[in-house]
Amino acid sequence: MTPDSHSLTGTQDPTTGPPPGCPAHGRGPGGLRRLYGPDAEDLSSLYDQLREEHGPVAPVLLHDDVPMWVVLGHAENLHMVRTPSQFCRDSRIWTPLLEGMVKPDHPLMPHIAWEPICSHSEGDEHLRLRGAVTGAISTIDHRTTRRHINRYTQRLVNEFCEEGTADLVSQFAEHLPMAVLCEILGMPEEYNDRMVQAARDMLRGTETAIASHAYVMSALQRLTVRRRAQPEEDFASHLVNHPAGLTDDEVTKHLWVVLMAAYEATANLIANVLRMVLTDPRFRAQLNGGQMTVPEAVEQSLWDEPPFSTVFAYFAKQDTELGGRRIRKGDGLLFGIAPGNVDPRVRPDLGAHMQGNRSHLAFGGGPHECPGQDIGRAIADTGVDALLMRLPDVELDIDEDELSWTESLASRHLVEMPVRFEAKPPQDVMQKPGHAPVPPQRAPWQIGTPQPRPVQVAPPLPVPLPDPVPLPDPVPVAVPAQSAAEAGPARPMGAWRRFLVWWRGY
């Protein structure tokens, strides 16, 4: 929104500011609430307050008091992402950016800056780039992927199963997605602690974030060059050889988008599902009782704790209206995933289970809906299920209130999840399943279980015996003569007799 649009909120003129003692005292220009700083430490509560004050679309301030709209309503979010004629993701039309209000060193610039990638493009260019990404994703074999997930899960569990304690965030949730994604993209040799640490540095914005970004990009550039020269059956090769004809730079950037977006979302999803299973007795009891599967727990987590809280950002292509608010051309809008998922008009009872309901906003919607959401779901539900099979007695090692989070406008991360369990020996992840011999086939007329055939044993070799000892003559014994009927062949059983033998089993 433009600076003069502050008056749309009904607050006082931004030049005067709220009077002392006013509830709005301490807010930003125009009395708008800030989505950063000490007043935004609990964003979920802040979203509830904004909903009460402004409805499904609320004016807010980003860092450096840059104006923005945050979309809080479920229906309003869906309308925004599904109407490309009114809203786009091209930040080059954002009014505060054109007017110089957003400095190059703005904290959110990495999220907002336009890139020539499918998630920022429109029209024919979007169809070309998006078609290449979705085409490469369609070649992924989900059965093979689940085998990779299970194998890497066993490897990770082997590293701590003998200790009886672990941190399921740093030792599991942050590693499993990177291992599987490196396998899918075609660079399993690049998966290591350094790659995981580089991804975490980039997402957290640490002092080494720039160096970590260069490390990841160099690995993806090497992969692009290798697959251009020698393609294989992996995601990178299919992206390189897609008829859309992506350049090496376009391939590398889209590999980066896929890797980082999928890694961040899936790592958060795994941690959130594990926390739900370990802390909420309803879910643990239902999982153990067979009333809820792990995939259903994943969907519930996508409602309650989506991997991304908001997405930066959508921009109005023309003057329009959304949620009763006048949106001007060039205004920016935050895609509010977390607040939209708890919209009272959609979920009047937040404690109700959402089993079978996939209408959450976790994976977006419209032209920019996440194309790899099924891969993220597979990593989460297969990995969590395999972990619980290996460690069925796993329990949280601290009180639930002691769990800590790092929260930003974009997402909410669980810092650690210490657990305890009975120590167990590692498993051989390379062992192949055994193959039992195939039993002999039955005759086509046979009913029931065939009787085992007698085993033929070779006759023993002759052994020399001592000289025979003379025995007395045997006493003759009278043997009754056998009747002709008994001596003849056995009488065949009739149909009734055969049925009785089959019924009784003898």
Side-chain angles (χ1 to χ4, degrees):
M1 80 191 88
T2 52
D4 59 347
S5 64
H6 292 162
S7 60
L8 296 176
T9 64
T11 55
Q12 300 177 7
D13 187 276
T15 58
T16 60
C22 175
H25 189 71
R27 300 185 185 183
L32 300 185
R33 292 184 180 273
R34 294 183 171 97
L35 294 186
Y36 69 98
D39 295 334
E41 293 180 354
D42 187 355
L43 284 173
S44 60
S45 298
L46 179 56
Y47 291 143
D48 291 338
Q49 296 173 11
L50 289 170
R51 199 192 310 271
E52 293 178 1
E53 294 176 5
H54 303 285
V57 180
V60 293
L61 297 174
L62 299 182
H63 298 74
D64 298 339
D65 287 344
V66 175
M68 177 74 77
W69 296 100
V70 58
V71 185
L72 307 171
H74 187 275
E76 288 74 15
N77 273 295
L78 285 180
H79 175 77
M80 178 178 66
V81 301
R82 292 176 176 176
T83 314
S85 61
Q86 297 178 352
F87 304 97
C88 68
R89 298 205 59 199
D90 189 345
S91 62
R92 293 175 296 182
I93 69 171
W94 189 24
T95 300
L97 183 64
L98 297 176
E99 294 180 350
M101 297 181 63
V102 183
K103 306 301 181 184
D105 59 348
H106 193 278
L108 300 180
M109 184 56 72
H111 299 275
I112 298 175
W114 184 84
E115 291 282 349
I117 54 179
C118 63
S119 56
H120 289 172
S121 58
E122 287 189 276
D124 293 339
E125 185 67 5
H126 173 262
L127 293 177
R128 182 180 76 90
L129 299 175
R130 173 81 176 202
V133 173
T134 55
I137 289 177
S138 67
T139 64
I140 297 175
D141 183 4
H142 289 262
R143 181 175 297 179
T144 301
T145 299
R146 288 185 180 272
R147 288 199 296 267
H148 291 323
I149 299 168
N150 186 71
R151 184 174 73 250
Y152 280 113
T153 297
Q154 305 306 329
R155 289 182 178 179
L156 292 172
V157 174
N158 280 348
E159 295 180 1
F160 55 77
C161 64
E162 295 180 288
E163 300 177 6
T165 59
D167 173 18
L168 293 185
V169 173
S170 63
Q171 294 180 268
F172 185 74
E174 292 183 352
H175 277 264
L176 180 61
M178 183 61 72
V180 177
L181 289 169
C182 286
E183 187 80 42
I184 291 174
L185 265 60
M187 53 177 193
E189 71 282 352
E190 297 286 355
Y191 164 67
N192 51 35
D193 292 340
R194 178 71 181 94
M195 180 65 74
V196 174
Q197 184 61 37
R200 300 311 305 167
D201 282 350
M202 292 169 56
L203 296 170
R204 292 170 181 166
T206 62
E207 296 179 355
T208 58
I210 297 178
S212 296
H213 174 76
Y215 176 84
V216 175
M217 288 299 294
S218 64
L220 297 176
Q221 289 169 352
R222 293 193 301 270
L223 175 64
T224 301
V225 173
R226 288 200 308 270
R227 292 299 177 259
R228 182 75 71 180
Q230 186 176 1
E232 296 184 6
E233 287 297 324
D234 52 41
F235 179 88
S237 298
H238 289 289
L239 193 62
V240 167
N241 295 321
H242 193 272
L246 272 63
T247 65
D248 284 1
D249 184 60
E250 290 174 331
V251 170
T252 302
K253 287 185 177 180
H254 281 87
L255 289 175
W256 183 86
V257 171
V258 171
L259 177 64
M260 298 311 300
Y263 171 73
E264 168 76 348
T266 310
N268 283 347
L269 180 58
I270 293 174
N272 293 337
V273 172
L274 286 172
R275 181 197 62 82
M276 179 183 299
V277 171
L278 296 179
T279 60
D280 193 330
R282 298 175 303 168
F283 291 99
R284 190 63 181 267
Q286 286 179 315
L287 282 170
N288 292 338
Q291 299 177 16
M292 173 179 283
T293 63
V294 174
E296 289 173 339
V298 169
E299 294 304 320
Q300 184 69 40
S301 177
L302 289 171
W303 275 102
D304 298 336
E305 289 283 351
F308 291 112
S309 304
T310 60
V311 169
F312 299 90
Y314 282 77
F315 306 93
K317 299 168 66 175
Q318 60 189 21
D319 290 352
T320 184
E321 183 272 339
L322 183 66
R325 292 288 179 177
R326 179 189 176 190
I327 309 298
R328 299 185 179 183
K329 180 180 179 181
D331 282 359
L333 304 96
L334 293 179
F335 176 31
I337 298 174
N341 276 356
V342 296
D343 186 346
R345 296 172 298 174
V346 176
R347 297 182 65 187
D349 181 9
L350 295 180
H353 293 172
M354 304 299 289
Q355 296 182 23
N357 190 334
R358 287 192 171 189
S359 59
H360 52 72
L361 305 173
F363 295 114
H368 298 293
E369 183 176 5
C370 175
Q373 54 186 279
D374 290 337
I375 301 298
R377 283 188 173 100
I379 297 175
D381 65 57
T382 304
V384 171
D385 187 60
L387 173 70
L388 295 178
M389 290 290 290
R390 284 286 302 273
L391 308 175
D393 58 338
V394 61
E395 296 180 355
L396 200 63
D397 203 21
I398 59 176
D399 293 334
E400 181 181 358
D401 297 338
E402 298 180 51
L403 292 173
S404 58
W405 307 77
T406 57
E407 187 170 11
S408 66
L409 191 55
S411 59
R412 187 168 180 254
H413 307 273
L414 191 61
V415 175
E416 61 179 0
M417 190 189 308
V419 296
R420 64 179 182 275
F421 49 87
E422 183 180 352
K424 295 173 177 60
Q427 292 186 0
D428 183 5
V429 298
M430 302 304 295
Q431 182 180 4
K432 297 182 179 180
H435 298 283
V438 179
Q441 299 297 313
R442 302 177 179 179
W445 52 266
Q446 185 174 353
I447 300 177
T449 305
Q451 297 296 328
R453 297 181 180 180
V455 181
Q456 296 182 357
V457 182
L461 297 176
V463 180
L465 300 176
D467 295 336
V469 179
L471 299 175
D473 296 333
V475 178
V477 179
V479 179
Q482 191 175 20
S483 63
E486 294 175 350
R491 182 179 180 181
M493 291 186 296
W496 177 251
R497 179 62 178 169
R498 291 198 302 271
F499 172 75
L500 290 178
V501 171
W502 171 79
W503 180 264
R504 296 171 179 170
Y506 58 88

